[in-house]
Amino acid sequence: MTESERVLGGRYRLDSLLGRGAQGTVWRARDLRLDRDVAVKVTPTSRDLESSGEAREHLRRFHKEALAMARIDKQPHVAEIYDHGADADLLFSVMEYIEGVSLAAHLRRHQPQLEQTVRWTKDICSGLSGAHAAGVIHRDVKPSNIVIDKKDRGAHLVDFGLARLLGGSSSRTPVGSLPYVAPEQLAGRSTASSDLYSLGCVMYEMLTGRTPFGHLTEGAAFWYHHTDRMPDPPRALRPGIPGPLDHLVMRLLKKDPDDRPADARAVARAVEQVEFASDDAAGPHVDSRHVEEIRRLERFIEQHAQEPWARDPEVLDARSRHARLTGESGDSRGAAALYQRLGKDCARWLGPGDKRGFQAYREAARWTERAH
């Protein structure tokens, strides 16, 4: 029997591999008892592995992740854990399956619009608030550990493989991913504020297309910059970012945890202040009145992203409306980019003389002009 045909605990049928990581493999699986899709993380427990100290630490972390996730009260922006057990040579954890793509995958394709950045930041803050209230520090907040749900276009925090319980023993070993790690984590200390620093790095990347120190490649250089250097403000790389949002990111990236916002709820409140619903808003802003319609259009466009459906006039109209609302929500550059993409697709699918493509390019020029 291959691993993909295996049924764990007499209940969870492994169907398709979703990914591999340091903590094991993650599978889309079927809960045969409750007839629903779940995500199952699997790691081997063979005697050969248990003979090494490194392997024992690996298994300890696997157990600790399940314990940390179980402590977090059910809330919509953290993947829920359902079960944890062993089956012969495998240890497994069963979690909520969130159908979507990681923020890392999204960033490889497109830079988020300002409205998306604000919305997803609030979602991540909600997840971190729930974790921190339960005494859990994530310690590895990064785009690959954030999933954008295909159904509701919300952001969900996943993978608590490096989590630590507040009040528990602290390791002197640095943990986390170098482009997103807080200065104190490099010294072997982690607090809830460390997750906020990492969130600041993620926000910086959503706003600018690169991490705060994205030009670096060497570990020692990351260490020095996270500890002793402040990055350029996001607005220096991408004009049009609202001043309060720019200021918030730079506060999150302060070297001293005491200089950062008090907690994830404070970050969420600061983000909400960026949303400005007035028609006469001066300067860059995010108009929250369009959020629900933008989410609805995102879902519809995502559901029809593959050809031949993508060429359908209804889908093209939805993309045009999505671009317009992005501009009206305060992101002129984002609107221009969406119209440019729509114009290129119309020219490719319908021919260079197509009226719809011409209108998209005209709108792209108009929003580009408004952005300057």
Side-chain angles (χ1 to χ4, degrees), residues 36-70:
R36 64 178 177 180
D37 287 334
V38 292
V40 177
K41 180 180 281 191
V42 176
T43 197
T45 61
S46 71
R47 291 180 180 177
D48 289 341
L49 281 178
E50 292 176 355
S51 65
S52 74
E54 183 179 350
R56 285 196 297 272
E57 173 63 16
H58 169 81
L59 296 179
R60 187 187 70 82
R61 283 184 174 179
F62 196 88
H63 282 296
K64 190 173 69 171
E65 176 184 20
L67 177 62
M69 293 183 70

PDB file of all heavy atoms in Angstrom, residues 36-70:
ATOM      1  N   ARG A  36     -16.030  14.351   5.435  1.00  0.00           N
ATOM      2  CA  ARG A  36     -15.615  15.720   5.143  1.00  0.00           C
ATOM      3  C   ARG A  36     -14.120  15.726   4.830  1.00  0.00           C
ATOM      4  O   ARG A  36     -13.366  14.835   5.247  1.00  0.00           O
ATOM      5  CB  ARG A  36     -15.894  16.651   6.313  1.00  0.00           C
ATOM      6  CG  ARG A  36     -15.101  16.329   7.568  1.00  0.00           C
ATOM      7  CD  ARG A  36     -15.382  17.327   8.681  1.00  0.00           C
ATOM      8  NE  ARG A  36     -14.678  16.984   9.911  1.00  0.00           N
ATOM      9  CZ  ARG A  36     -14.745  17.682  11.038  1.00  0.00           C
ATOM     10  NH1 ARG A  36     -15.496  18.774  11.079  1.00  0.00           N
ATOM     11  NH2 ARG A  36     -14.081  17.303  12.124  1.00  0.00           N
ATOM     12  N   ASP A  37     -13.677  16.755   4.094  1.00  0.00           N
ATOM     13  CA  ASP A  37     -12.261  16.927   3.799  1.00  0.00           C
ATOM     14  C   ASP A  37     -11.550  17.516   5.011  1.00  0.00           C
ATOM     15  O   ASP A  37     -12.089  18.393   5.700  1.00  0.00           O
ATOM     16  CB  ASP A  37     -12.066  17.852   2.598  1.00  0.00           C
ATOM     17  CG  ASP A  37     -12.437  17.181   1.284  1.00  0.00           C
ATOM     18  OD1 ASP A  37     -12.370  15.945   1.209  1.00  0.00           O
ATOM     19  OD2 ASP A  37     -12.809  17.908   0.342  1.00  0.00           O
ATOM     20  N   VAL A  38     -10.342  17.047   5.251  1.00  0.00           N
ATOM     21  CA  VAL A  38      -9.506  17.561   6.328  1.00  0.00           C
ATOM     22  C   VAL A  38      -8.080  17.662   5.816  1.00  0.00           C
ATOM     23  O   VAL A  38      -7.743  17.126   4.752  1.00  0.00           O
ATOM     24  CB  VAL A  38      -9.538  16.648   7.576  1.00  0.00           C
ATOM     25  CG1 VAL A  38     -10.909  16.668   8.230  1.00  0.00           C
ATOM     26  CG2 VAL A  38      -9.133  15.225   7.220  1.00  0.00           C
ATOM     27  N   ALA A  39      -7.235  18.366   6.558  1.00  0.00           N
ATOM     28  CA  ALA A  39      -5.802  18.398   6.278  1.00  0.00           C
ATOM     29  C   ALA A  39      -5.111  17.552   7.340  1.00  0.00           C
ATOM     30  O   ALA A  39      -5.390  17.698   8.528  1.00  0.00           O
ATOM     31  CB  ALA A  39      -5.280  19.829   6.316  1.00  0.00           C
ATOM     32  N   VAL A  40      -4.217  16.664   6.909  1.00  0.00           N
ATOM     33  CA  VAL A  40      -3.526  15.777   7.839  1.00  0.00           C
ATOM     34  C   VAL A  40      -2.021  15.981   7.693  1.00  0.00           C
ATOM     35  O   VAL A  40      -1.469  15.806   6.602  1.00  0.00           O
ATOM     36  CB  VAL A  40      -3.887  14.298   7.584  1.00  0.00           C
ATOM     37  CG1 VAL A  40      -3.089  13.391   8.517  1.00  0.00           C
ATOM     38  CG2 VAL A  40      -5.385  14.074   7.779  1.00  0.00           C
ATOM     39  N   LYS A  41      -1.393  16.364   8.795  1.00  0.00           N
ATOM     40  CA  LYS A  41       0.064  16.476   8.817  1.00  0.00           C
ATOM     41  C   LYS A  41       0.631  15.173   9.373  1.00  0.00           C
ATOM     42  O   LYS A  41       0.179  14.678  10.412  1.00  0.00           O
ATOM     43  CB  LYS A  41       0.511  17.659   9.669  1.00  0.00           C
ATOM     44  CG  LYS A  41       2.027  17.822   9.713  1.00  0.00           C
ATOM     45  CD  LYS A  41       2.454  19.005  10.574  1.00  0.00           C
ATOM     46  CE  LYS A  41       2.293  20.299   9.832  1.00  0.00           C
ATOM     47  NZ  LYS A  41       2.940  21.438  10.543  1.00  0.00           N
ATOM     48  N   VAL A  42       1.629  14.612   8.675  1.00  0.00           N
ATOM     49  CA  VAL A  42       2.157  13.288   8.999  1.00  0.00           C
ATOM     50  C   VAL A  42       3.664  13.368   9.183  1.00  0.00           C
ATOM     51  O   VAL A  42       4.363  14.055   8.422  1.00  0.00           O
ATOM     52  CB  VAL A  42       1.823  12.291   7.860  1.00  0.00           C
ATOM     53  CG1 VAL A  42       2.441  10.930   8.139  1.00  0.00           C
ATOM     54  CG2 VAL A  42       0.317  12.160   7.684  1.00  0.00           C
ATOM     55  N   THR A  43       4.184  12.656  10.200  1.00  0.00           N
ATOM     56  CA  THR A  43       5.630  12.553  10.383  1.00  0.00           C
ATOM     57  C   THR A  43       5.971  11.128  10.814  1.00  0.00           C
ATOM     58  O   THR A  43       5.183  10.494  11.527  1.00  0.00           O
ATOM     59  CB  THR A  43       6.129  13.575  11.429  1.00  0.00           C
ATOM     60  OG1 THR A  43       7.536  13.728  11.306  1.00  0.00           O
ATOM     61  CG2 THR A  43       5.790  13.161  12.842  1.00  0.00           C
ATOM     62  N   PRO A  44       7.098  10.576  10.377  1.00  0.00           N
ATOM     63  CA  PRO A  44       7.454   9.200  10.740  1.00  0.00           C
ATOM     64  C   PRO A  44       7.931   9.103  12.188  1.00  0.00           C
ATOM     65  O   PRO A  44       8.483  10.048  12.744  1.00  0.00           O
ATOM     66  CB  PRO A  44       8.576   8.845   9.767  1.00  0.00           C
ATOM     67  CG  PRO A  44       9.177  10.155   9.396  1.00  0.00           C
ATOM     68  CD  PRO A  44       8.047  11.144   9.412  1.00  0.00           C
ATOM     69  N   THR A  45       7.729   7.921  12.803  1.00  0.00           N
ATOM     70  CA  THR A  45       8.160   7.688  14.186  1.00  0.00           C
ATOM     71  C   THR A  45       8.971   6.401  14.295  1.00  0.00           C
ATOM     72  O   THR A  45       8.920   5.716  15.313  1.00  0.00           O
ATOM     73  CB  THR A  45       6.947   7.583  15.122  1.00  0.00           C
ATOM     74  OG1 THR A  45       6.130   6.483  14.711  1.00  0.00           O
ATOM     75  CG2 THR A  45       6.140   8.848  15.118  1.00  0.00           C
ATOM     76  N   SER A  46       9.725   6.058  13.270  1.00  0.00           N
ATOM     77  CA  SER A  46      10.469   4.803  13.277  1.00  0.00           C
ATOM     78  C   SER A  46      11.543   4.815  14.346  1.00  0.00           C
ATOM     79  O   SER A  46      12.003   5.862  14.801  1.00  0.00           O
ATOM     80  CB  SER A  46      11.119   4.564  11.909  1.00  0.00           C
ATOM     81  OG  SER A  46      12.171   5.469  11.707  1.00  0.00           O
ATOM     82  N   ARG A  47      11.979   3.629  14.769  1.00  0.00           N
ATOM     83  CA  ARG A  47      12.995   3.537  15.805  1.00  0.00           C
ATOM     84  C   ARG A  47      14.314   4.164  15.365  1.00  0.00           C
ATOM     85  O   ARG A  47      15.048   4.724  16.174  1.00  0.00           O
ATOM     86  CB  ARG A  47      13.222   2.063  16.167  1.00  0.00           C
ATOM     87  CG  ARG A  47      12.026   1.439  16.885  1.00  0.00           C
ATOM     88  CD  ARG A  47      12.299  -0.013  17.211  1.00  0.00           C
ATOM     89  NE  ARG A  47      11.162  -0.598  17.896  1.00  0.00           N
ATOM     90  CZ  ARG A  47      11.108  -1.881  18.249  1.00  0.00           C
ATOM     91  NH1 ARG A  47      12.128  -2.695  17.979  1.00  0.00           N
ATOM     92  NH2 ARG A  47      10.045  -2.346  18.856  1.00  0.00           N
ATOM     93  N   ASP A  48      14.594   4.094  14.068  1.00  0.00           N
ATOM     94  CA  ASP A  48      15.838   4.693  13.573  1.00  0.00           C
ATOM     95  C   ASP A  48      15.848   6.190  13.835  1.00  0.00           C
ATOM     96  O   ASP A  48      16.849   6.769  14.248  1.00  0.00           O
ATOM     97  CB  ASP A  48      16.003   4.429  12.069  1.00  0.00           C
ATOM     98  CG  ASP A  48      16.309   2.966  11.783  1.00  0.00           C
ATOM     99  OD1 ASP A  48      16.740   2.266  12.729  1.00  0.00           O
ATOM    100  OD2 ASP A  48      16.109   2.550  10.637  1.00  0.00           O
ATOM    101  N   LEU A  49      14.691   6.835  13.588  1.00  0.00           N
ATOM    102  CA  LEU A  49      14.612   8.269  13.823  1.00  0.00           C
ATOM    103  C   LEU A  49      14.726   8.580  15.312  1.00  0.00           C
ATOM    104  O   LEU A  49      15.393   9.510  15.721  1.00  0.00           O
ATOM    105  CB  LEU A  49      13.288   8.823  13.289  1.00  0.00           C
ATOM    106  CG  LEU A  49      13.184   9.061  11.771  1.00  0.00           C
ATOM    107  CD1 LEU A  49      11.795   9.558  11.441  1.00  0.00           C
ATOM    108  CD2 LEU A  49      14.223  10.051  11.313  1.00  0.00           C
ATOM    109  N   GLU A  50      14.064   7.756  16.142  1.00  0.00           N
ATOM    110  CA  GLU A  50      14.044   8.034  17.561  1.00  0.00           C
ATOM    111  C   GLU A  50      15.414   7.876  18.211  1.00  0.00           C
ATOM    112  O   GLU A  50      15.629   8.305  19.334  1.00  0.00           O
ATOM    113  CB  GLU A  50      13.020   7.129  18.243  1.00  0.00           C
ATOM    114  CG  GLU A  50      11.572   7.475  17.849  1.00  0.00           C
ATOM    115  CD  GLU A  50      10.577   6.500  18.455  1.00  0.00           C
ATOM    116  OE1 GLU A  50      11.030   5.525  19.093  1.00  0.00           O
ATOM    117  OE2 GLU A  50       9.372   6.716  18.290  1.00  0.00           O
ATOM    118  N   SER A  51      16.339   7.247  17.495  1.00  0.00           N
ATOM    119  CA  SER A  51      17.655   7.017  18.074  1.00  0.00           C
ATOM    120  C   SER A  51      18.510   8.278  18.101  1.00  0.00           C
ATOM    121  O   SER A  51      19.529   8.321  18.774  1.00  0.00           O
ATOM    122  CB  SER A  51      18.395   5.930  17.292  1.00  0.00           C
ATOM    123  OG  SER A  51      18.653   6.376  15.962  1.00  0.00           O
ATOM    124  N   SER A  52      18.119   9.307  17.375  1.00  0.00           N
ATOM    125  CA  SER A  52      18.911  10.529  17.339  1.00  0.00           C
ATOM    126  C   SER A  52      18.229  11.634  18.126  1.00  0.00           C
ATOM    127  O   SER A  52      17.005  11.720  18.178  1.00  0.00           O
ATOM    128  CB  SER A  52      19.117  10.989  15.897  1.00  0.00           C
ATOM    129  OG  SER A  52      17.917  11.539  15.374  1.00  0.00           O
ATOM    130  N   GLY A  53      19.064  12.491  18.749  1.00  0.00           N
ATOM    131  CA  GLY A  53      18.518  13.611  19.507  1.00  0.00           C
ATOM    132  C   GLY A  53      17.729  14.555  18.638  1.00  0.00           C
ATOM    133  O   GLY A  53      16.700  15.094  19.053  1.00  0.00           O
ATOM    134  N   GLU A  54      18.183  14.773  17.399  1.00  0.00           N
ATOM    135  CA  GLU A  54      17.491  15.666  16.469  1.00  0.00           C
ATOM    136  C   GLU A  54      16.101  15.146  16.166  1.00  0.00           C
ATOM    137  O   GLU A  54      15.124  15.909  16.114  1.00  0.00           O
ATOM    138  CB  GLU A  54      18.308  15.808  15.186  1.00  0.00           C
ATOM    139  CG  GLU A  54      17.697  16.778  14.180  1.00  0.00           C
ATOM    140  CD  GLU A  54      18.548  16.922  12.936  1.00  0.00           C
ATOM    141  OE1 GLU A  54      19.692  16.425  12.915  1.00  0.00           O
ATOM    142  OE2 GLU A  54      18.054  17.556  11.981  1.00  0.00           O
ATOM    143  N   ALA A  55      15.986  13.821  15.979  1.00  0.00           N
ATOM    144  CA  ALA A  55      14.679  13.241  15.676  1.00  0.00           C
ATOM    145  C   ALA A  55      13.742  13.332  16.877  1.00  0.00           C
ATOM    146  O   ALA A  55      12.542  13.586  16.732  1.00  0.00           O
ATOM    147  CB  ALA A  55      14.841  11.790  15.238  1.00  0.00           C
ATOM    148  N   ARG A  56      14.284  13.131  18.082  1.00  0.00           N
ATOM    149  CA  ARG A  56      13.446  13.250  19.279  1.00  0.00           C
ATOM    150  C   ARG A  56      12.903  14.672  19.417  1.00  0.00           C
ATOM    151  O   ARG A  56      11.746  14.881  19.782  1.00  0.00           O
ATOM    152  CB  ARG A  56      14.255  12.860  20.520  1.00  0.00           C
ATOM    153  CG  ARG A  56      14.485  11.358  20.658  1.00  0.00           C
ATOM    154  CD  ARG A  56      14.944  11.010  22.067  1.00  0.00           C
ATOM    155  NE  ARG A  56      16.221  11.634  22.391  1.00  0.00           N
ATOM    156  CZ  ARG A  56      17.409  11.092  22.125  1.00  0.00           C
ATOM    157  NH1 ARG A  56      17.478   9.920  21.516  1.00  0.00           N
ATOM    158  NH2 ARG A  56      18.527  11.717  22.461  1.00  0.00           N
ATOM    159  N   GLU A  57      13.748  15.666  19.103  1.00  0.00           N
ATOM    160  CA  GLU A  57      13.296  17.048  19.141  1.00  0.00           C
ATOM    161  C   GLU A  57      12.223  17.291  18.088  1.00  0.00           C
ATOM    162  O   GLU A  57      11.241  18.013  18.333  1.00  0.00           O
ATOM    163  CB  GLU A  57      14.481  17.987  18.909  1.00  0.00           C
ATOM    164  CG  GLU A  57      14.128  19.464  18.766  1.00  0.00           C
ATOM    165  CD  GLU A  57      13.500  20.061  20.007  1.00  0.00           C
ATOM    166  OE1 GLU A  57      13.599  19.441  21.091  1.00  0.00           O
ATOM    167  OE2 GLU A  57      12.901  21.143  19.897  1.00  0.00           O
ATOM    168  N   HIS A  58      12.382  16.681  16.916  1.00  0.00           N
ATOM    169  CA  HIS A  58      11.385  16.801  15.850  1.00  0.00           C
ATOM    170  C   HIS A  58      10.029  16.272  16.320  1.00  0.00           C
ATOM    171  O   HIS A  58       8.989  16.920  16.123  1.00  0.00           O
ATOM    172  CB  HIS A  58      11.881  16.014  14.636  1.00  0.00           C
ATOM    173  CG  HIS A  58      10.861  15.830  13.557  1.00  0.00           C
ATOM    174  ND1 HIS A  58      10.579  16.796  12.626  1.00  0.00           N
ATOM    175  CD2 HIS A  58      10.043  14.774  13.257  1.00  0.00           C
ATOM    176  CE1 HIS A  58       9.641  16.350  11.805  1.00  0.00           C
ATOM    177  NE2 HIS A  58       9.303  15.138  12.169  1.00  0.00           N
ATOM    178  N   LEU A  59      10.017  15.104  16.975  1.00  0.00           N
ATOM    179  CA  LEU A  59       8.763  14.526  17.439  1.00  0.00           C
ATOM    180  C   LEU A  59       8.166  15.353  18.579  1.00  0.00           C
ATOM    181  O   LEU A  59       6.945  15.505  18.673  1.00  0.00           O
ATOM    182  CB  LEU A  59       8.989  13.084  17.891  1.00  0.00           C
ATOM    183  CG  LEU A  59       9.431  12.108  16.796  1.00  0.00           C
ATOM    184  CD1 LEU A  59       9.643  10.717  17.378  1.00  0.00           C
ATOM    185  CD2 LEU A  59       8.412  12.062  15.669  1.00  0.00           C
ATOM    186  N   ARG A  60       9.032  15.909  19.427  1.00  0.00           N
ATOM    187  CA  ARG A  60       8.549  16.754  20.517  1.00  0.00           C
ATOM    188  C   ARG A  60       7.842  17.985  19.954  1.00  0.00           C
ATOM    189  O   ARG A  60       6.780  18.380  20.438  1.00  0.00           O
ATOM    190  CB  ARG A  60       9.716  17.177  21.403  1.00  0.00           C
ATOM    191  CG  ARG A  60       9.296  17.934  22.667  1.00  0.00           C
ATOM    192  CD  ARG A  60      10.508  18.472  23.408  1.00  0.00           C
ATOM    193  NE  ARG A  60      11.144  19.557  22.671  1.00  0.00           N
ATOM    194  CZ  ARG A  60      10.717  20.820  22.697  1.00  0.00           C
ATOM    195  NH1 ARG A  60       9.650  21.157  23.409  1.00  0.00           N
ATOM    196  NH2 ARG A  60      11.347  21.752  22.005  1.00  0.00           N
ATOM    197  N   ARG A  61       8.421  18.568  18.912  1.00  0.00           N
ATOM    198  CA  ARG A  61       7.796  19.737  18.284  1.00  0.00           C
ATOM    199  C   ARG A  61       6.468  19.368  17.643  1.00  0.00           C
ATOM    200  O   ARG A  61       5.520  20.160  17.669  1.00  0.00           O
ATOM    201  CB  ARG A  61       8.731  20.330  17.233  1.00  0.00           C
ATOM    202  CG  ARG A  61       9.872  21.154  17.806  1.00  0.00           C
ATOM    203  CD  ARG A  61      10.680  21.789  16.687  1.00  0.00           C
ATOM    204  NE  ARG A  61      11.699  22.685  17.185  1.00  0.00           N
ATOM    205  CZ  ARG A  61      12.545  23.337  16.422  1.00  0.00           C
ATOM    206  NH1 ARG A  61      12.497  23.183  15.099  1.00  0.00           N
ATOM    207  NH2 ARG A  61      13.452  24.145  16.937  1.00  0.00           N
ATOM    208  N   PHE A  62       6.383  18.185  17.067  1.00  0.00           N
ATOM    209  CA  PHE A  62       5.148  17.754  16.423  1.00  0.00           C
ATOM    210  C   PHE A  62       4.026  17.658  17.466  1.00  0.00           C
ATOM    211  O   PHE A  62       2.910  18.130  17.243  1.00  0.00           O
ATOM    212  CB  PHE A  62       5.366  16.403  15.735  1.00  0.00           C
ATOM    213  CG  PHE A  62       4.302  16.052  14.730  1.00  0.00           C
ATOM    214  CD1 PHE A  62       4.420  16.463  13.410  1.00  0.00           C
ATOM    215  CD2 PHE A  62       3.188  15.315  15.099  1.00  0.00           C
ATOM    216  CE1 PHE A  62       3.444  16.132  12.475  1.00  0.00           C
ATOM    217  CE2 PHE A  62       2.205  14.990  14.173  1.00  0.00           C
ATOM    218  CZ  PHE A  62       2.338  15.397  12.859  1.00  0.00           C
ATOM    219  N   HIS A  63       4.329  17.042  18.615  1.00  0.00           N
ATOM    220  CA  HIS A  63       3.347  16.961  19.699  1.00  0.00           C
ATOM    221  C   HIS A  63       2.986  18.356  20.207  1.00  0.00           C
ATOM    222  O   HIS A  63       1.822  18.653  20.477  1.00  0.00           O
ATOM    223  CB  HIS A  63       3.910  16.133  20.858  1.00  0.00           C
ATOM    224  CG  HIS A  63       3.873  14.658  20.627  1.00  0.00           C
ATOM    225  ND1 HIS A  63       2.696  13.944  20.488  1.00  0.00           N
ATOM    226  CD2 HIS A  63       4.873  13.748  20.528  1.00  0.00           C
ATOM    227  CE1 HIS A  63       2.967  12.669  20.313  1.00  0.00           C
ATOM    228  NE2 HIS A  63       4.283  12.510  20.328  1.00  0.00           N
ATOM    229  N   LYS A  64       4.002  19.208  20.347  1.00  0.00           N
ATOM    230  CA  LYS A  64       3.780  20.546  20.898  1.00  0.00           C
ATOM    231  C   LYS A  64       2.897  21.384  19.983  1.00  0.00           C
ATOM    232  O   LYS A  64       2.086  22.190  20.451  1.00  0.00           O
ATOM    233  CB  LYS A  64       5.118  21.243  21.138  1.00  0.00           C
ATOM    234  CG  LYS A  64       4.984  22.527  21.937  1.00  0.00           C
ATOM    235  CD  LYS A  64       6.346  23.107  22.297  1.00  0.00           C
ATOM    236  CE  LYS A  64       7.058  23.633  21.078  1.00  0.00           C
ATOM    237  NZ  LYS A  64       8.289  24.388  21.423  1.00  0.00           N
ATOM    238  N   GLU A  65       3.048  21.211  18.661  1.00  0.00           N
ATOM    239  CA  GLU A  65       2.197  21.956  17.730  1.00  0.00           C
ATOM    240  C   GLU A  65       0.734  21.610  17.954  1.00  0.00           C
ATOM    241  O   GLU A  65      -0.131  22.488  18.002  1.00  0.00           O
ATOM    242  CB  GLU A  65       2.586  21.655  16.282  1.00  0.00           C
ATOM    243  CG  GLU A  65       1.650  22.335  15.287  1.00  0.00           C
ATOM    244  CD  GLU A  65       1.947  21.977  13.840  1.00  0.00           C
ATOM    245  OE1 GLU A  65       2.601  20.956  13.596  1.00  0.00           O
ATOM    246  OE2 GLU A  65       1.516  22.728  12.958  1.00  0.00           O
ATOM    247  N   ALA A  66       0.437  20.301  18.109  1.00  0.00           N
ATOM    248  CA  ALA A  66      -0.946  19.886  18.339  1.00  0.00           C
ATOM    249  C   ALA A  66      -1.472  20.472  19.644  1.00  0.00           C
ATOM    250  O   ALA A  66      -2.614  20.955  19.718  1.00  0.00           O
ATOM    251  CB  ALA A  66      -1.026  18.362  18.364  1.00  0.00           C
ATOM    252  N   LEU A  67      -0.645  20.465  20.678  1.00  0.00           N
ATOM    253  CA  LEU A  67      -1.052  21.024  21.964  1.00  0.00           C
ATOM    254  C   LEU A  67      -1.322  22.517  21.855  1.00  0.00           C
ATOM    255  O   LEU A  67      -2.322  23.026  22.382  1.00  0.00           O
ATOM    256  CB  LEU A  67       0.045  20.765  23.005  1.00  0.00           C
ATOM    257  CG  LEU A  67      -0.181  21.342  24.406  1.00  0.00           C
ATOM    258  CD1 LEU A  67      -1.423  20.731  25.035  1.00  0.00           C
ATOM    259  CD2 LEU A  67       1.037  21.110  25.278  1.00  0.00           C
ATOM    260  N   ALA A  68      -0.437  23.230  21.144  1.00  0.00           N
ATOM    261  CA  ALA A  68      -0.612  24.678  20.988  1.00  0.00           C
ATOM    262  C   ALA A  68      -1.897  24.995  20.236  1.00  0.00           C
ATOM    263  O   ALA A  68      -2.678  25.860  20.650  1.00  0.00           O
ATOM    264  CB  ALA A  68       0.594  25.268  20.258  1.00  0.00           C
ATOM    265  N   MET A  69      -2.155  24.296  19.127  1.00  0.00           N
ATOM    266  CA  MET A  69      -3.354  24.565  18.335  1.00  0.00           C
ATOM    267  C   MET A  69      -4.619  24.228  19.113  1.00  0.00           C
ATOM    268  O   MET A  69      -5.648  24.896  18.977  1.00  0.00           O
ATOM    269  CB  MET A  69      -3.299  23.782  17.023  1.00  0.00           C
ATOM    270  CG  MET A  69      -2.203  24.232  16.081  1.00  0.00           C
ATOM    271  SD  MET A  69      -2.226  23.346  14.501  1.00  0.00           S
ATOM    272  CE  MET A  69      -3.731  24.018  13.765  1.00  0.00           C
ATOM    273  N   ALA A  70      -4.550  23.181  19.947  1.00  0.00           N
ATOM    274  CA  ALA A  70      -5.724  22.782  20.726  1.00  0.00           C
ATOM    275  C   ALA A  70      -6.083  23.823  21.779  1.00  0.00           C
ATOM    276  O   ALA A  70      -7.242  23.910  22.208  1.00  0.00           O
ATOM    277  CB  ALA A  70      -5.473  21.426  21.385  1.00  0.00           C
TER     278      ALA A  70
END
